């Protein structure tokens, strides 16, 4: 079974530029998560989708971040414009079935973003 | 307030030593789940274990064991006879199932960097 795929693996941009990350979850997984992991910290949830609907985006800085999962499969996360403090690893995860506290989440390798 | 606290930022041990990673959590929900994840240098988080709030039995899986104590809100992780391949960052996480909680949302601690020297 293929794992969660993410691209690109690394991205370097200058502040005020735009960037987009892509995630393809494990086949059949209904729930998809985007996390931000700043160096030295644990991952923090940005947004959670169930199929193509948003379950929780309370931690997403909506003035600059946006995410979509149009067909309920793969997802993109965009930052526009980027700030220095957005430098982090962006992790995508997916879980089987509907969103639940019980669910094991499977993580992708992440995209390391550096904003100069 | 931090829902999950991992007070140990870094731990270094020599191979074959036992090591315990501490995790303290905070929640008002009666139903919740606790997780441990391993993050090797490659960056991908690897699931290790899940416990629910009603099951306080300790669990052992090979060299790994977990001690869950609701009385102290702790879920500690012990590696017996550590190996170099155990070197990684280990995260403890909490997921809540109470009213008002976002189902599936994981709250992570800051992680403990474990280094095992040969």
């Amino acid at each position: 079974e293929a794992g969660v795929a993410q691209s690109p693996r690394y991205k370097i941009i200058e502040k005020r530029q735009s960037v987009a990350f892509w995630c393809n979850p494990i086949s059949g997984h209904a729930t998809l998560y985007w996390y931000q992991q700043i160096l030295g910290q644990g991952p923090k949830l940005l947004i959670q989708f169930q199929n193509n609907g948003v379950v929780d985006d309370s931690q997403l800085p909506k003035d600059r971040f946006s995410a979509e999962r149009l067909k309920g499969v793969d997802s993109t996360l965009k930052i526009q414009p980027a700030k220095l403090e957005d430098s982090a690893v962006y992790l995508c995860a997916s879980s089987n079935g509907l969103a639940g506290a019980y669910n094991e989440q499977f993580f992708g390798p992440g995209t390391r973003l550096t904003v100069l | 307030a931090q829902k999950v606290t991992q007070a140990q930022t870094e731990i270094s041990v020599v191979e074959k030593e036992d090591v315990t990673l501490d995790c303290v959590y905070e929640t008002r929900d009666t139903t919740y789940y606790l997780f441990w994840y391993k993050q090797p240098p490659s960056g991908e988080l690897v699931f290790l274990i899940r416990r629910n709030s009603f099951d306080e039995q300790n669990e052992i899986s090979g060299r790994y064991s977990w001690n869950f104590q609701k009385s102290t809100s702790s879920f500690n992780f012990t590696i017996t006879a550590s190996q170099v391949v155990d070197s990684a960052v280990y995260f403890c996480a909490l997921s809540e199932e109470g009213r008002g909680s976002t189902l599936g949302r994981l709250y992570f601690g800051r992680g403990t960097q474990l280094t095992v020297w040969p």
Side-chain angles (χ1 to χ4, degrees), chain B residues 19-21 36 49 58-68 75-80:
Chain B
V19 59
T20 296
L21 309 182
W36 275 95
I49 191 172
N58 291 334
E59 181 154 342
I60 298 174
S61 176
R63 296 184 298 106
Y64 295 170
S65 63
W66 292 269
N67 180 251
F68 176 29
F75 186 44
N76 296 337
F77 172 30
T78 298
I79 302 175
T80 303

Side-chain angles (χ1 to χ4, degrees), chain B residues 15-65:
Chain B
E15 223 174 7
K16 297 182 185 175
E17 284 186 18
D18 299 347
V19 59
T20 296
L21 309 182
D22 297 334
C23 172
V24 174
Y25 63 92
E26 181 179 333
T27 181
R28 294 182 179 179
D29 290 355
T30 55
T31 303
Y32 54 89
Y33 296 83
L34 295 163
F35 300 77
W36 275 95
Y37 280 85
K38 174 181 180 180
Q39 188 174 44
S42 61
E44 196 164 327
L45 281 156
V46 177
F47 168 83
L48 294 178
I49 191 172
R50 167 186 51 219
R51 300 301 277 176
N52 74 57
S53 52
F54 299 107
D55 183 0
E56 286 192 74
Q57 275 193 329
N58 291 334
E59 181 154 342
I60 298 174
S61 176
R63 296 184 298 106
Y64 295 170
S65 63

Side-chain angles (χ1 to χ4, degrees), chain B residues 61-110:
Chain B
S61 176
R63 296 184 298 106
Y64 295 170
S65 63
W66 292 269
N67 180 251
F68 176 29
Q69 291 194 342
K70 287 178 75 170
S71 60
T72 55
S73 297
S74 65
F75 186 44
N76 296 337
F77 172 30
T78 298
I79 302 175
T80 303
S82 59
Q83 300 176 1
V84 172
V85 293
D86 295 328
S87 296
V89 181
Y90 290 86
F91 290 97
C92 181
L94 166 73
S95 184
E96 299 169 311
E97 204 170 83
R99 184 175 298 181
S101 300
T102 298
L103 295 181
R105 179 175 181 173
L106 280 175
Y107 296 91
F108 284 87
R110 296 176 71 94

Side-chain angles (χ1 to χ4, degrees), chain A residues 14-31:
Chain A
E14 294 188 351
K15 60 182 179 183
R16 292 189 288 274
Q17 285 188 322
S18 303
V19 65
F21 312 129
W22 175 82
C23 171
N24 192 21
I26 292 173
S27 177
H29 279 195
T31 309

Side-chain angles (χ1 to χ4, degrees), chain A residues 35-37 41-45 91 107, chain B residues 45 91 106-109:
Chain A
Y35 289 86
Q36 180 193 58
Q37 185 178 16
Q41 298 182 19
K44 183 186 80 171
L45 181 71
L91 294 164
F107 285 80
Chain B
L45 281 156
F91 290 97
L106 280 175
Y107 296 91
F108 284 87

